[in-house]
């Protein structure tokens, strides 16, 4: 398995980035909170924006290893897997909500077309 060569810092921001720093992790947590629990359902929700099933599966495993999610496996053929938020996972929801609100508030200022217009006016 691949091991990162960059040493890990043990500060709050480093830990935060480990949990929510992936491109799709915050959205995966939000999907699970919104009762989209199966990996294939999460992928359907996110594939419009280019998330591959491989990357989603990787992020789900990382979040499970960190204790943000837990996986429930149902017996049967085919095997059914669902993900749920742990208590720590639930504690990330206010952070994700704040990021969403900030993004919506600043979206117009941060889009490329808007930035060109602002720079042209100055």
């Amino acid at each position: 398995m691949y091991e990162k060569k960059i040493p890990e810092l043990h500060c709050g921001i480093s830990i935060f980035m480990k949990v929510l720093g992936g491109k799709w992790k915050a959205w995966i947590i939000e999907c699970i909170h919104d009762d989209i629990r199966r990996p294939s359902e999460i992928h359907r929700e996110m594939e419009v924006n280019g998330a591959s099933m491989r990357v989603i599966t990787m992020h789900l495993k990382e979040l499970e290893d960190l204790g943000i999610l837990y996986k429930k496996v149902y017996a049967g053929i085919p095997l059914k897997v669902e993900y749920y938020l742990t208590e720590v996972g639930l504690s990330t929801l206010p952070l994700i909500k704040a990021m969403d609100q900030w993004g919506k508030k600043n979206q117009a200022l941060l889009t490329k077309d808007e930035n060109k217009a602002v720079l042209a006016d100055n």
Side-chain angles (χ1 to χ4, degrees):
M1 181 172 200
Y2 175 77
E3 288 186 37
K4 292 184 180 180
K5 294 179 180 130
I6 301 169
E8 288 190 31
L9 302 174
H10 296 288
C11 67
I13 293 173
S14 175
I15 293 166
F16 170 83
M17 292 305 293
K18 188 178 214 177
V19 174
L20 293 176
K23 186 174 181 179
W24 307 106
K25 287 180 181 178
W27 195 359
I28 289 170
I29 291 169
E30 189 175 351
C31 284
I32 293 169
H33 176 67
D34 292 339
D35 293 328
I36 302 172
R37 302 192 185 281
R38 299 188 69 200
S40 59
E41 293 171 345
I42 295 168
H43 181 249
R44 264 192 300 270
E45 179 74 18
M46 298 172 72
E47 72 182 332
V48 175
N49 291 305
S52 72
M53 189 64 182
R54 178 182 167 275
V55 171
I56 291 170
T57 302
M58 225 169 52
H59 283 325
L60 286 167
K61 172 100 174 83
E62 288 174 16
L63 290 168
E64 184 183 8
D65 290 346
L66 290 168
I68 304 300
L69 307 176
Y70 70 91
K71 177 170 57 173
K72 189 170 183 182
V73 180
Y74 296 92
I77 299 177
L79 208 57
K80 180 179 172 184
V81 174
E82 290 184 343
Y83 286 91
Y84 295 87
L85 294 172
T86 63
E87 207 170 308
V88 177
L90 289 169
S91 73
T92 66
L93 294 173
L95 300 168
I96 293 170
K97 183 178 180 180
M99 289 189 309
D100 182 50
Q101 290 171 345
W102 184 90
K104 287 176 181 174
K105 179 181 175 187
N106 294 290
Q107 183 175 9
L109 294 172
L110 299 173
T111 58
K112 291 178 183 176
D113 294 335
E114 291 293 326
N115 282 339
K116 288 177 187 173
V118 170
L119 291 174
D121 289 341
N122 292 330

